[in-house]
Amino acid sequence: MVKFMAKLGMIMSSVLVGLGLILFIAGPVANVMVMSALDDGIDDAVRKDADFFDNTSDEDFVDWLSNHDADDAPKYYKYYLWNMTNVDDIKTNTSQTPEYEEIGPYVYQKFEDIDPATIVYDDTDGTVSYGKDSYMKYVASESGAGLNHTGDVIYNFNPAYLGIIAQAMGDEKNIVRPNLGTTLASVMAGAVAGGLTEAQAEAQWGNNSLVPAVPSSPAFAANWTWTSSYSLPFLGISQPDVHALLYDIGQLSWTTENGTLALYNASAYAAYGGVTDYLTLLAGATGIVLNGAQFEIIMNYYEAYLYPLTAPTVFGQIAAAKADYIPGRTVNEWLFTFVDMVIYAATGDLDAASTAFFTNVTDSATDTVTKYVNPDDIKMLNYEIENDGITVMPYWQAPINVNGTGATAWYPGVEKEDVLVAWNSDTMRNLDFEYMEDYELYGIDTYKFGLAPEVLDVDPFYYQSIKGLANMSVFKSGIPIFLSKPHFGECGLGLEMDSWNQDKHDTWVAVEPLTGAVLEGHKRLQVSLIAPNTTVHFPSLIQTFQPLVWAEEAAVMTEQNAKDFKEAIYDNMDLADTLKIAGLGAGLVLVGLGAVVYALVVRKSSA
């Protein structure tokens, strides 16, 4: 009997130890199995295949189409404008250096809807293409206290005016010179409207008795007199004929392509076929035959006596249209709605005349994207290969392909050592993001990634000659526009402001590493301009970088989103951890109990 009990004890101890070892091993195995299933589940969840796009009534598909359901995290755009506080001193040239105050934030919420009719899924390479409609809505409750986006007036430099000067060959006076035709035409039209025949009006114009009716300007009328001290014997034509000739030249310069620069000087005609070709055109149109020297005398006459009469009217009209060098515009005009009527009058192109900094409405025909949603290589997930019709950007030193995500999600399994790439349509390039630090959001562990330091380093490939400043002039018809961190953060030339604050002004995203989802993001960029002096209004302005506006695109997961996320992801992780710990614990207990039984049996057998 004793031997039987001893044998039974040995069997029990072996069973207990065996069970303990099984559970000790099974705990980690179960953990691996659960985590493997979790990884597979995440992989399946973040991919989108043909079934996803075919099931258009499925809740997940419907949620994907828009970003403004009640449980969606709102996407806010916060704008801070730089207002020139000494604008009067700058305009009167009593100060050479503009001074600014930052005004903001003016906050808008962006609402986006994918147009179902534009969705095309390609099962071959796992990409989807679609277009989005979007609009911005002002959110007063999120904006700064007392701010009014349609009432607050901001003064700053107008980049489009530099484009006008560039078209005028760098000389502000050339903005006025081609307008002699319309000025003289308006004078003649006013006279005819007052009851004169065209012949009578031209005769009175010749003997200086014609009072300019349009535009009405005391200075214009008071100075519209013949100056006898200016000698014209070289021309061999009478004073009235000179006035009539100027009228015809003005008309011709306004209505013919080759005569667009008719009121510059003779040397400016080289790009338009030279003076000879122009004078041939003039002779054919008016019957007046002049040689180059005679024409130069007429132009000098215009420059000395008629330009000062024309300029106030032309520049006055530009200022009235808020199209001058330092206009005052409302916040909403600067940001979204301004149409430059000077540019529109010259080009007839509404798109070219829409010179606001940003756009507040897009449509699915132009706001397009093609990206990987079910790639063979999971690390290509969410990478875009087309954005706003762009697949290749040709304007840098060499073409580059669109090849990065939209910075709203990457791939599952992000690690701290990874370099995450995002396509950025503001800077027109792919941007590298590198790990900064761990970051917790509503109890969820994330990695904070920020712009890699070399993104804004000096780089000839992107025409970047100054640290911290992305040169965008190649996209702005040569206008010297630059992008940087707000407050010129980390910029060279000593531009960085004392107010630069990395926490408030840097760009970063919080990436949940298991899924690659971005749970919080802050993209911050400042628009600046090199503002040169000008030949007429601002001859003493010190040329340097001037800040115009900076913007923050921000989105943060809501607390409810975080709760749902944790239930879907973290609870499964907790189950795996529990299985692992329980298996280890139970295994150790049973192994220990088996060892005790074995010891007791051995002792009794010895006895």
Side-chain angles (χ1 to χ4, degrees):
M1 185 68 177
V2 172
K3 289 184 177 181
F4 173 77
M5 292 302 296
K7 189 175 182 179
L8 179 59
M10 294 291 286
I11 293 171
M12 288 179 60
S13 66
S14 299
V15 170
L16 289 172
V17 171
L19 284 173
L21 290 173
I22 290 171
L23 286 172
F24 188 81
I25 296 170
V29 170
N31 174 263
V32 170
M33 292 175 64
V34 172
M35 290 303 294
S36 177
L38 178 61
D39 290 342
D40 291 342
I42 291 173
D43 187 83
D44 290 340
V46 295
R47 291 177 181 271
K48 294 178 176 64
D49 57 16
D51 289 340
F52 177 86
F53 296 105
D54 288 341
N55 296 328
T56 56
S57 61
D58 184 81
E59 183 179 356
D60 289 339
F61 179 82
V62 174
D63 288 344
W64 176 75
L65 290 176
S66 72
N67 75 334
H68 47 88
D69 291 335
D71 58 348
D72 285 333
K75 182 186 286 188
Y76 288 124
Y77 285 72
K78 303 177 182 180
Y79 298 98
Y80 299 79
L81 287 87
W82 294 100
N83 181 48
M84 192 182 298
T85 56
N86 62 337
V87 60
D88 292 336
D89 293 338
I90 294 295
K91 285 189 172 184
T92 57
N93 288 287
T94 56
S95 176
Q96 299 174 328
T97 306
E99 298 173 0
Y100 295 96
E101 62 178 345
E102 178 189 273
I103 300 180
Y106 296 89
V107 181
Y108 295 75
Q109 184 175 354
K110 187 172 187 178
F111 298 89
E112 297 174 313
D113 293 280
I114 295 172
D115 181 356
T118 65
I119 298 172
V120 177
Y121 176 71
D122 186 340
D123 196 35
T124 303
D125 57 8
T127 62
V128 66
S129 302
Y130 56 83
K132 292 187 295 184
D133 299 306
S134 71
Y135 66 94
M136 307 277 269
K137 182 179 180 181
Y138 185 66
V139 186
S141 60
E142 296 288 336
S143 301
L147 298 182
N148 184 336
H149 68 303
T150 58
D152 296 344
V153 176
I154 303 294
Y155 288 89
N156 210 325
F157 289 101
N158 171 22
Y161 189 77
L162 293 185
I164 294 173
I165 292 178
Q167 291 295 315
M169 302 188 332
D171 187 350
E172 254 184 317
K173 284 187 175 182
N174 289 343
I175 298 173
V176 175
R177 288 165 176 152
N179 284 280
L180 177 62
T182 53
T183 301
L184 300 183
S186 66
V187 171
M188 297 295 285
V192 172
L196 299 178
T197 65
E198 186 170 342
Q200 290 173 326
E202 190 163 328
Q204 291 195 21
W205 168 264
N207 62 27
N208 301 299
S209 62
L210 179 63
V211 178
V214 181
S216 60
S217 164
F220 195 98
N223 290 286
W224 200 270
T225 56
W226 176 258
T227 304
S228 58
S229 61
Y230 192 87
S231 175
L232 295 174
F234 189 88
L235 290 175
I237 55 178
S238 66
Q239 172 186 317
D241 287 340
V242 170
H243 281 254
L245 177 61
L246 284 169
Y247 173 76
D248 288 334
I249 290 174
Q251 288 290 84
L252 186 66
S253 71
W254 189 253
T255 59
T256 63
E257 181 180 353
N258 284 346
T260 302
L261 299 180
L263 302 176
Y264 296 177
N265 54 61
S267 61
Y269 286 75
Y272 286 80
V275 175
T276 302
D277 288 349
Y278 177 78
L279 294 179
T280 301
L281 180 69
L282 177 68
T286 66
I288 301 170
V289 179
L290 297 174
N291 60 41
Q294 291 172 322
F295 182 75
E296 189 72 20
I297 288 176
I298 291 178
M299 291 299 98
N300 288 339
Y301 169 76
Y302 165 78
E303 189 75 10
Y305 299 107
L306 298 187
Y307 171 83
L309 305 178
T310 311
T313 299
V314 174
F315 285 124
Q317 292 171 342
I318 292 173
K322 302 180 185 179
D324 53 327
Y325 200 15
I326 309 179
R329 299 174 184 165
T330 67
V331 169
N332 211 43
E333 286 177 328
W334 279 112
L335 294 179
F336 302 121
T337 63
F338 189 75
V339 175
D340 192 316
M341 296 309 297
V342 174
I343 294 176
Y344 183 69
T347 66
D349 186 340
L350 187 60
D351 288 337
S354 299
T355 59
F357 293 136
F358 309 101
T359 181
N360 62 344
V361 177
T362 66
D363 64 68
S364 57
T366 56
D367 187 1
T368 60
V369 68
T370 300
K371 65 180 182 179
Y372 288 103
V373 291
N374 191 24
D376 292 335
D377 180 359
I378 192 62
K379 289 203 170 184
M380 290 301 296
L381 186 70
N382 294 311
Y383 269 56
E384 297 177 2
I385 55 176
E386 179 270 328
N387 185 289
D388 291 345
I390 300 170
T391 57
V392 177
M393 178 48 58
Y395 297 115
W396 302 119
Q397 291 283 9
I400 63 171
N401 293 320
V402 174
N403 188 34
T405 76
T408 57
W410 274 275
Y411 47 82
V414 169
E415 298 180 352
K416 295 179 180 180
E417 297 76 17
D418 291 348
V419 175
L420 306 181
V421 184
W423 169 257
N424 179 257
S425 57
D426 297 310
T427 57
M428 291 295 183
R429 66 190 75 172
N430 302 300
L431 303 180
D432 290 347
F433 284 74
E434 294 181 353
Y435 171 81
M436 297 171 62
E437 61 184 2
D438 289 358
Y439 179 73
E440 184 178 305
L441 177 65
Y442 295 126
I444 300 174
D445 295 325
T446 72
Y447 297 155
K448 184 186 286 189
F449 278 76
L451 284 178
E454 62 271 16
V455 166
L456 292 175
D457 276 350
V458 173
D459 189 343
F461 185 88
Y462 294 112
Y463 311 112
Q464 288 175 197
S465 59
I466 302 169
K467 177 179 171 59
L469 291 159
N471 184 355
M472 305 307 296
S473 58
V474 69
F475 301 98
K476 305 296 180 182
S477 302
I479 298 172
I481 293 289
F482 292 80
L483 297 178
S484 70
K485 296 181 178 182
H487 294 237
F488 293 112
E490 301 174 353
C491 287
L493 299 181
L495 291 170
E496 182 177 295
M497 298 178 176
D498 293 337
S499 50
W500 154 254
N501 182 303
Q502 187 172 24
D503 290 338
K504 294 180 180 179
H505 300 138
D506 220 345
T507 291
W508 59 271
V509 291
V511 182
E512 197 288 312
L514 285 175
T515 61
V518 173
L519 307 188
E520 180 175 353
H522 301 270
K523 183 180 76 175
R524 296 155 172 152
L525 284 174
Q526 177 171 285
V527 182
S528 302
L529 170 78
I530 294 180
N533 53 33
T534 63
T535 54
V536 176
H537 292 108
F538 304 99
S540 60
L541 184 69
I542 295 177
Q543 178 172 303
T544 186
F545 289 88
Q546 309 293 344
L548 301 176
V549 58
W550 72 269
E552 175 183 2
E553 177 185 341
V556 184
M557 169 182 274
T558 65
E559 191 168 3
Q560 182 59 48
N561 291 153
K563 181 180 178 182
D564 295 341
F565 183 91
K566 286 188 286 188
E567 288 177 355
I569 306 297
Y570 280 19
D571 283 0
N572 285 323
M573 290 181 62
D574 291 343
L575 171 61
D577 290 339
T578 299
L579 286 171
K580 179 180 178 182
I581 294 169
L584 288 172
L588 288 171
V589 168
L590 290 174
V591 169
L593 183 58
V596 170
V597 171
Y598 178 80
L600 289 173
V601 169
V602 170
R603 187 167 28 169
K604 287 186 178 183
S605 297
S606 300

